């Protein structure tokens, strides 16, 4: 794609969005999607740290069959905190609200998102939800698990269920606001010439995600509200003691929460499409298939929620249907993986940090997706349901998938956001450490789950045979922790000391690279007009250029 | 230092069938992970920048390829789906001759009762080689009854019965877990399943289970006593009368309701008839029966506990078996020994 100047007036190089105001108010009252993305970047990182500390406590506690330092109730509160923070405050907003927010207007050639104030409101609502979350912790925490199953949550738990529900409710609205913004922007604000099929797959993925957010999130909001109503007013909705139905809660909960796993993974898949293409110098293979598979996942994803309930007491016939559709929804995920693989074929591959993360993503997502099949087959799920096997499965997709995608994206667009480069060797090292640490942490959990270790267990003193796997997992998690902490250090370092780079250090093709890095507040100085197809990479030319460059280097040095 | 265990014990007929499917899926998983993983690594290295390889004529899309890699996984997936669904449907259909055992879950213990009235907590004794059906209910929150060695699990929910069945194959002691998070001591809500030779099991039952000094009443006897104490017989005699229908022989029969719908009088139906009598009214009757639902699990106050209800259901079932069954109108206690309740 190229930006053809629409007006001929030469403009002076403008201030970047980072230089446009240095006061606190210029950040906290900004309507600039790029600044809001930075606000989100800081906030989700803090929540990731909080969730990570909780994870460390869980892993430490499980080193010994009788626990190490927590009481029953505190353990239950810690794993609940971990789940709620990671899912509602990190995984769901991470890629859309940080990378999506920053990049979608740039990728469609717009000045900003459609509703800048709504965008800022979304961040404030998110922060309000987060603040409520912190208050919950200060008041003693909550112990229902992130799944809030009734009647435990509505009648039996003595912890801060009400406030937690309010926090999750608010967090949901913040993502709804983001979703609305993305849909409106993608529909109405594409630059002239930027047809739907010239949109990067990152944008397609965010479009599909936004549809899920808008259709699904209101359901969880109402459901949690009903739990609150039953808890406070004792009106029977989910509790049989009061005349309600506890399985109804599970239906409503998973009607949102299954699609929510796609809210978490689709944006990461969008990132991976961009990275694989840019670092193989090839257009994404089967662009249309990859684009439509996102929509297929968004649609079918709403029809499989019952696969979380095979042993809950739902009807057998329901189970069969949910199982069948779950197998169907696996196909679009497989299509994506095969297309990425085919994209690398005959490319000119550069193994820079973002690409290492992307390749790691493919490996981990493969295992995560394939182990989903064990859980979608009703018979195998009977034994594996609610054991560490499920825990391992969803960490492979959510941590292995989403976080690898997120970190890969952050490393790719870091120079876009800040105009400086981090040390590439440190980046590669962190990607490799994350990949190894991740597998050490979660591979043993498949085995211990198959052996029968239930999830959400504090003790396993009657089953010492589980311990070796817990020890491996805990050791792995400390490696993983190092892997996650390294980027924090060198990325922060690079803000001040990193090498300044040009506007397009990767030579990537997206419209977002056609403005300066970091971009000016208005994104583009002239209205960009798109005349080229998407992903105008040429592997053969890239190779020639590379060889030419090598020759020049040899001439100079040798 | 440790002997690593890679697979749980295999101690039920289902576990054997289960493991075939499990390892077949594992083979597929490993195969695809390795093939795709190796391809990715191979391509990434072979086509690295600076490698002099042929990059000409690369495709950007290819319909046949797309169809191939959509349809082949789809067919394999459907194969697994069919196999798994077949097995699953079997796990939902207990054989008619299955041994009935009743389980109540509560925060944080399991409570089981065998049909001759022997009770046990956090333990379950079973005969090998016999199909066993558990009918389960919770007194408070949702729990889940999980026996890894049987590869079998079922949520136990408040407000209605769920069932599971299996045929233990190998005598031995196996883990029993609660796998639905249920509060503070969730991780300690478990114990052991003891599978015995059928003859040993009979002996164990006849001796009243573990450390039980006196012979307990059977479930039918307990149910009969409740039937008398609560004066159920006033309305439910050996014949249908104006006050209420007879319960003789109704178990598992079709009953016609006021609105002409037909319902099967199974365990769930009978429980509802006691706890929530107006949920279904028989044709020819009015809303006259009181509800026996207790105020709460701690305060029974004229109501029946979940365990009482199970006993009464066993009693109602027994009214079917012989035509000469004692007419429930004047219920005598069947055995002479004054029943002593075994404290739990
Ligand atoms: C091919 C794709 C996938 C299939 C077939 C699949 C299948 C399943 C099934 C059947 C379960 C229920 C297991 C049980 O509770 O017994 C499950 C659990 C779960 N999956 Fe997946 N899954 C897939 C991909 C994903 C992705 C992409 C994510 C998230 C990014 C994800 C996140 C989860 C989570 C969070 C749970 C557990 C929720 C809980 O119980 O707390 N899955 N998956
Ligand atoms: Cu799901
Ligand atoms: Cu439990």
């Amino acid at each position: 794609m190229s930006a053809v100047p629409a007006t001929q007036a030469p403009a002076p190089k403008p201030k970047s969005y980072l230089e446009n105001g240095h006061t606190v108010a210029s950040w906290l009252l900004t309507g600039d999607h790029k600044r809001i993305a930075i606000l989100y970047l800081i906030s989700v990182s803090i929540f990731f740290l909080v969730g990570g500390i909780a994870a460390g406590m869980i892993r430490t506690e499980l080193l010994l069959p009788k626990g190490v330092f927590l009481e029953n109730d505190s353990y239950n509160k810690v794993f609940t905190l971990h789940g709620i923070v990671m899912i509602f405050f990190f995984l769901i907003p991470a890629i859309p609200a940080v990378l999506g927010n920053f990049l979608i207007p740039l990728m469609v050639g717009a000045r900003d998102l459609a509703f800048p104030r709504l965008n800022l409101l979304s961040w404030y609502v998110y922060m309000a939800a987060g603040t409520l979350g912190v208050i919950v912790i200060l008041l003693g925490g909550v112990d229902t698990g992130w799944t809030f199953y009734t009647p435990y949550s509505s009648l039996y738990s003595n912890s801060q269920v009400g406030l937690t529900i309010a926090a999750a409710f608010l967090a949901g609205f913040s993502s709804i606001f983001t979703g609305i913004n993305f849909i409106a922007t993608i529909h109405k604000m594409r630059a002239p010439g930027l047809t739907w099929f010239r949109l990067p797959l990152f944008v397609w993925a965010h479009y599909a995600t936004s549809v899920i957010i808008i259709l699904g999130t209101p359901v969880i909001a109402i459901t949690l509200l009903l739990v609150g109503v039953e808890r406070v007013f004792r009106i029977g909705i989910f509790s049989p003691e009061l005349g309600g139905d506890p399985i109804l809660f599970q239906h409503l909960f998973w009607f949102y929460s299954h699609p929510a796993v796609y809210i978490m993974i689709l944006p990461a898949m969008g990132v991976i499409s961009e990275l694989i293409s840019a670092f193989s110098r090839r257009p994404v293979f089967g662009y249309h298939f990859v684009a439509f598979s996102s929509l297929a996942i968004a649609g079918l994803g709403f029809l499989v929620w019952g696969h979380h309930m095979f042993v809950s007491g739902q009807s057998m016939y329901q189970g069969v249907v949910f199982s069948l559709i779950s197998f169907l929804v696996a196909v679009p995920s497989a299509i994506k993986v095969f297309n990425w693989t085919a994209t690398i074929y005959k490319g000119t591959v550069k193994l820079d940090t973002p690409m290492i993360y992307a390749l790691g993503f493919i490996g981990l997502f493969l295992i995560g997706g394939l182990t989903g099949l064990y859980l979608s087959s009703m018979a195998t799920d009977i034994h594996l349901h609610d054991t560490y096997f499920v825990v391992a499965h969803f960490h492979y997709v959510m941590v292995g998938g989403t976080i690898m995608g997120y970190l890969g994206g952050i490393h790719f667009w870091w120079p876009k956001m800040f105009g400086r480069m981090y040390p590439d060797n440190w980046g590669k090292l962190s990607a490799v450490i994350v990949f190894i640490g991740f597998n050490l942490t979660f591979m043993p959990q498949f085995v211990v789950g198959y052996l029968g270790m239930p999830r959400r267990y504090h003790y396993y003193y009657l089953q010492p045979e589980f311990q070796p796997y817990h020890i491996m997992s805990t050791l792995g998690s400390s490696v993983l922790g190092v892997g996650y902490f390294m980027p924090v250090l060198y990325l922060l370092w690079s803000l001040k000391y990193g090498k300044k780079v040009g506007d397009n250090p990767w030579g990537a093709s997206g419209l977002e690279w056609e403005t300066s890095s970091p971009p000016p507040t208005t994104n583009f100085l002239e209205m960009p007009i798109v005349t080229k197809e998407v992903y105008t990479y040429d592997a053969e030319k890239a190779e020639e250029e590379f060889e030419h460059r090598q020759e020049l280097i040899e001439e100079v040095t040798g | 230092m440790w002997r690593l265990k890679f697979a749980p014990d295999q101690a039920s007929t289902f576990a054997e069938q289960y493991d075939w499917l499990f390892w077949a899926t594992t083979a597929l998983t490993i195969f695809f992970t390795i093939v795709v993983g190796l391809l990715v690594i191979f391509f990434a290295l072979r086509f690295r920048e600076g490698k002099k390889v042929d990059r000409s004529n690369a495709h950007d899309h290819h319909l046949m390829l797309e169809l191939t890699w959509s349809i082949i996984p789809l067919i394999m997936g459907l194969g697994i789906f069919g196999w798994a669904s077949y097995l699953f449907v079997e796990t939902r259909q207990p054989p008619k001759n299955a041994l009935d055992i009743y389980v109540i879950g509560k925060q944080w213990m399991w409570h089981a009762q065998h049909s001759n009235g022997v009770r046990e907590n956090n333990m379950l004794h079973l005969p090998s080689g016999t199909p066993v059906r558990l009918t389960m209910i919770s007194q408070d929150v949702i729990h889940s009854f999980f026996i890894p060695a049987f590869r079998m699990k079922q949520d136990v929910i408040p407000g209605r019965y769920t069932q599971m069945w299996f045929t233990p194959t190998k005598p031995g002691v196996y883990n029993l877990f609660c796998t639905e998070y249920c509060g503070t001591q969730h991780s300690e809500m478990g114990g052991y399943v003891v599978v015995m030779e059928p003859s040993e099991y009979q002996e164990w039952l006849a001796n009243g289970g573990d450390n039980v000094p006196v012979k307990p009443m059977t479930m039918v006897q307990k149910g009969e006593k409740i039937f008398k104490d609560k004066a159920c017989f006033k309305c439910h005699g050996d014949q249908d009368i104006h006050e209420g229908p007879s319960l003789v022989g109704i178990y598992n029969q079709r009953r016609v309701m006021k609105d002409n719908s037909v319902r099967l009088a199974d365990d769930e139906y009978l429980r509802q008839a006691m706890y929530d009598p107006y949920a279904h009214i028989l044709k020819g009757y009015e809303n006259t029966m009181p509800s026996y639902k207790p105020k709460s699990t701690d305060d029974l106050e004229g109501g029946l506990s979940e365990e009482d209800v199970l006993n009464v259901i066993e009693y109602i079932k027994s009214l079917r078996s012989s035509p000469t069954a004692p007419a429930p109108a004047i219920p005598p206690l069947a055995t002479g020994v004054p029943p002593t309740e075994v404290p739990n």
Side-chain angles (χ1 to χ4, degrees):
Chain A
M1 279 173 261
S2 71
V4 178
T7 54
Q8 294 304 322
K13 187 170 166 73
K15 285 194 285 191
S16 84
Y17 77 101
L18 291 169
E19 295 153 342
N20 189 8
H22 292 279
T23 58
V24 174
S26 74
W27 282 89
L28 293 186
L29 299 176
T30 181
D32 183 351
H33 66 104
K34 299 181 289 303
R35 286 196 162 203
I36 297 172
I38 304 301
L39 293 178
Y40 261 118
L41 173 64
I42 298 167
S43 344
V44 301
S45 303
I46 292 171
F47 280 108
F48 185 54
L49 180 66
V50 173
I53 291 173
M57 290 168 77
I58 297 174
R59 285 305 340 155
T60 310
E61 192 63 13
L62 290 175
L63 268 177
L64 300 181
K66 284 194 168 168
V68 177
F69 65 105
L70 292 174
E71 295 297 316
N72 268 327
D73 277 330
S74 11
Y75 181 81
N76 295 344
K77 286 173 179 169
V78 169
F79 78 66
T80 303
L81 174 77
H82 169 69
I84 291 178
V85 167
M86 285 302 199
I87 290 188
F88 294 113
F89 293 97
F90 179 70
L91 287 167
I92 290 180
I95 299 183
V98 178
L99 295 174
N101 225 335
F102 196 99
L103 293 165
I104 285 180
L106 290 166
M107 286 180 168
V108 303
R111 193 175 182 271
D112 205 311
L113 283 173
F115 311 112
R117 287 195 200 129
L118 189 66
N119 195 17
L120 184 63
L121 179 62
S122 146
W123 182 73
Y124 274 102
V125 171
Y126 170 84
M127 289 312 282
T131 311
L132 266 184
V134 173
I135 293 176
V136 166
I137 301 174
L138 295 180
L139 291 180
V142 63
D143 72 344
T144 58
W146 80 278
T147 46
F148 299 106
Y149 270 22
T150 56
Y152 186 73
S153 63
S154 59
L155 295 187
Y156 286 83
S157 170
N158 294 318
S159 57
Q160 298 297 333
V161 181
L163 278 180
T164 312
I165 285 175
F169 186 91
L170 278 180
F173 273 92
S174 110
S175 39
I176 292 178
F177 294 158
T178 305
I180 292 175
N181 238 329
F182 286 175
I183 290 187
T185 308
I186 297 170
H187 269 280
K188 305 304 283 184
M189 297 175 66
R190 281 171 288 128
L194 189 54
T195 60
W196 281 91
F197 291 117
R198 284 177 177 172
L199 285 176
L201 290 163
F202 180 89
V203 177
W204 274 96
H206 276 78
Y207 185 79
T209 308
S210 305
V211 171
I212 305 179
I213 290 177
I214 289 176
L215 295 180
T217 316
V219 178
I220 191 72
I222 299 287
T223 310
L224 292 178
L225 207 61
L226 290 178
V227 172
V229 166
E230 180 166 279
R231 195 174 162 86
V232 177
F233 302 108
R234 298 186 66 87
I235 295 174
I237 300 162
F238 300 125
S239 165
E241 278 171 52
L242 305 174
D245 180 355
I247 307 297
L248 174 64
F249 172 82
Q250 297 178 22
H251 280 294
L252 294 173
F253 179 81
W254 290 114
F255 179 83
Y256 164 77
S257 292
H258 180 80
V261 307
Y262 293 116
I263 296 179
M264 297 177 239
I265 197 70
L266 277 174
M269 291 171 151
V271 170
I272 298 304
S273 294
E274 301 302 311
L275 301 189
I276 297 274
S277 155
F279 290 93
S280 305
R281 302 275 130 189
R282 291 246 294 130
V284 175
F285 191 91
Y287 171 91
H288 288 81
F289 276 83
V290 180
F292 282 114
S293 65
S294 291
L295 295 185
I297 287 175
L300 284 174
F302 273 106
L303 303 176
V304 301
W305 75 87
H307 65 209
H308 296 269
M309 301 168 59
F310 290 143
V311 299
S312 70
Q314 86 180 348
S315 134
M316 173 179 88
Y317 302 102
Q318 255 174 315
V320 174
V321 175
F322 281 125
S323 171
L324 178 62
I325 307 177
S326 304
F327 276 95
L328 299 185
V329 77
V331 172
S333 306
I335 290 181
K336 288 193 194 255
V337 172
F338 291 133
N339 278 298
W340 291 325
T341 312
T343 304
I344 306 174
Y345 179 68
K346 294 204 171 180
T348 296
V349 179
K350 286 205 315 195
L351 294 177
D352 293 329
T353 306
M355 185 63 166
I356 305 283
Y357 272 108
L359 297 178
F361 172 100
I362 296 185
L364 301 183
F365 181 74
L366 255 177
I367 299 177
L370 284 164
T371 50
L373 300 184
Y374 293 74
L375 306 174
S376 317
S377 325
M378 289 186 290
T380 30
D381 185 58
I382 298 177
H383 174 68
L384 301 172
H385 174 71
D386 272 350
T387 65
Y388 263 81
F389 192 96
V390 172
V391 175
H393 155 70
F394 67 72
H395 281 87
Y396 264 85
V397 271
M398 307 207 304
V399 182
T402 307
I403 301 186
M404 290 297 266
Y406 174 68
L407 288 177
I410 292 284
H411 283 89
F412 183 52
W413 284 293
W414 192 257
K416 177 85 247 164
M417 294 164 117
F418 300 105
R420 289 180 188 263
M421 193 63 103
Y422 49 85
D424 190 54
N425 284 335
W426 282 97
K428 279 185 198 157
L429 186 63
S430 81
V432 171
I433 293 180
V434 166
F435 185 83
I436 295 174
F438 181 86
N439 282 298
L440 284 177
T441 309
F442 292 104
M443 196 61 88
Q445 296 188 2
F446 282 123
V447 185
V448 81
Y450 176 52
L451 288 179
M453 170 86 191
R455 68 192 282 201
R456 298 176 173 174
Y457 260 34
H458 180 200
Y459 297 133
Y460 51 96
Y461 47 76
L462 297 180
Q463 290 79 29
E465 69 267 26
F466 294 162
Q467 195 182 11
Y469 296 103
H470 282 301
I471 291 180
M472 286 183 222
S473 187
T474 302
L475 289 180
S477 67
S478 38
V479 177
L480 187 57
V482 172
Y484 284 146
F485 203 66
M486 281 169 52
V488 178
L489 298 182
Y490 63 73
L491 288 178
L492 286 177
W493 176 89
S494 79
L495 286 181
K496 193 140 195 239
Y497 306 104
K499 205 175 87 209
K500 278 202 166 138
V501 289
D503 291 343
N504 189 357
W506 309 111
S509 85
L511 197 51
E512 79 269 25
W513 296 105
E514 307 219 340
T515 180
S516 48
S517 299
T521 301
T522 54
N523 290 350
F524 297 93
L525 296 184
E526 307 107 4
M527 159 83 82
I529 296 174
V530 179
T531 53
K532 286 192 201 149
E533 297 307 317
V534 65
Y535 301 125
T536 48
Y537 293 113
D538 184 329
E540 286 180 280
K541 226 167 83 199
E543 180 62 23
E544 277 164 28
E545 280 167 13
F546 174 77
E547 277 163 23
H548 183 62
R549 246 179 301 138
Q550 292 301 103
E551 277 161 23
L552 288 184
I553 291 174
E554 259 161 50
E555 263 172 43
V556 174
T557 57
Chain B
M1 182 164 157
W2 293 300
R3 271 186 53 225
L4 275 193
K5 226 176 141 174
F6 289 102
D9 294 330
Q10 202 190 50
S12 76
T13 49
F14 178 66
E16 291 158 20
Q17 294 172 301
Y18 180 98
D19 281 348
W20 279 107
L21 176 57
F22 180 89
W23 289 110
T25 315
T26 304
L28 269 184
T29 299
I30 292 178
F31 175 77
F32 274 104
T33 307
I34 290 184
V35 168
V36 179
L38 284 183
L39 274 181
V40 167
I41 294 171
F42 175 73
F43 289 165
L45 294 181
R46 178 167 171 82
F47 296 104
R48 258 191 97 159
E49 192 173 55
K51 282 268 171 79
K52 290 197 172 45
V53 284
D54 179 23
R55 293 183 172 84
S56 58
N57 296 324
H59 290 275
D60 293 348
H61 52 88
H62 196 291
L63 186 62
M64 280 319 288
L65 256 177
E66 298 284 351
L67 290 179
T68 313
W69 64 45
S70 310
I71 291 174
I72 292 182
L74 180 64
I75 291 175
M76 289 183 159
L78 290 181
I80 301 253
F81 162 77
W83 184 356
S85 303
Y86 173 78
L87 280 186
F88 183 81
V89 168
E90 235 173 56
T91 67
R92 299 286 122 156
Q93 291 169 335
K96 289 261 176 318
N97 62 345
L99 174 72
D100 272 314
I101 297 177
Y102 299 86
V103 172
I104 292 178
K106 58 182 178 207
Q107 284 175 329
W108 291 275
M109 65 184 279
W110 294 108
H111 182 67
Q113 182 160 204
H114 300 255
S115 62
N116 78 337
V118 167
R119 305 203 224 164
E120 47 186 338
N121 291 333
N122 292 332
M123 294 283 274
L124 181 63
H125 286 74
L126 299 170
S128 69
T130 317
V132 176
R133 173 171 63 177
L134 305 183
T135 300
M136 308 183 287
I137 195 159
S138 162
Q139 279 187 3
D140 37 53
V141 300
I142 301 180
H143 305 279
S144 191
F145 200 81
F146 177 36
I147 309 166
F150 296 175
R151 312 286 186 279
M152 194 42 80
K153 168 184 303 122
Q154 172 62 53
D155 283 7
V156 176
I157 50 187
R160 81 178 149 95
Y161 296 127
T162 51
Q163 293 190 329
M164 74 194 245
W165 81 273
F166 43 74
T167 308
T169 48
K170 266 206 320 240
V173 179
Y174 307 106
N175 290 322
L176 165 65
F177 294 116
C178 171
T179 41
E180 186 59 68
Y181 173 67
C182 57
T184 310
Q185 291 182 50
H186 167 58
S187 58
E188 292 170 281
M189 180 168 168
Y192 295 107
V193 170
V194 183
V195 177
M196 306 190 279
E197 295 294 350
S199 55
E200 283 175 40
Y201 173 73
Q202 287 310 334
E203 206 174 304
W204 179 84
L205 265 192
N207 290 332
D210 297 327
N211 47 48
V212 176
V214 238
K215 266 198 185 179
M217 288 196 286
T218 66
M219 286 184 76
V220 174
Q221 287 166 338
K222 288 180 198 166
E224 193 177 346
K225 182 168 183 311
I226 295 164
F227 207 78
K228 190 185 161 209
D229 292 350
K230 299 278 178 207
C232 311
F233 58 84
K234 277 195 186 153
C235 302
H236 300 292
D238 47 0
Q239 250 146 37
D240 291 349
I241 51 174
H242 174 69
E243 282 75 19
S246 163
L247 305 182
V248 176
I250 70 164
Y251 182 67
N252 260 346
Q253 297 299 312
R254 288 171 208 285
R255 309 284 278 163
V256 182
M257 301 297 125
K258 218 172 167 177
D259 58 0
N260 284 324
S261 62
V262 175
R263 282 169 167 253
L264 187 71
D266 56 6
D267 302 44
E268 187 65 51
Y269 172 95
L270 294 176
R271 177 178 176 278
Q272 202 177 32
M274 289 175 248
Y275 271 179
D276 189 8
Y278 308 149
H280 43 72
I281 298 284
L282 278 181
K283 202 177 175 75
Y285 292 92
E286 293 303 326
N287 302 1
T288 47
M289 172 166 164
S291 162
Y292 288 89
K293 194 180 169 96
K295 274 213 199 107
S296 77
T297 45
D298 319 312
D299 177 14
L300 289 181
E301 255 277 329
L304 300 175
S305 69
E306 291 287 1
E307 196 182 334
D308 293 340
V309 171
L310 282 170
N311 287 325
V312 174
I313 291 176
E314 272 301 283
Y315 172 63
I316 296 175
K317 283 186 196 170
S318 77
L319 295 179
R320 149 188 74 154
S321 44
S322 75
T324 57
I330 331 116
L333 279 181
T335 46
V337 198
T340 331
E341 265 305 311
V342 183
N344 274 286

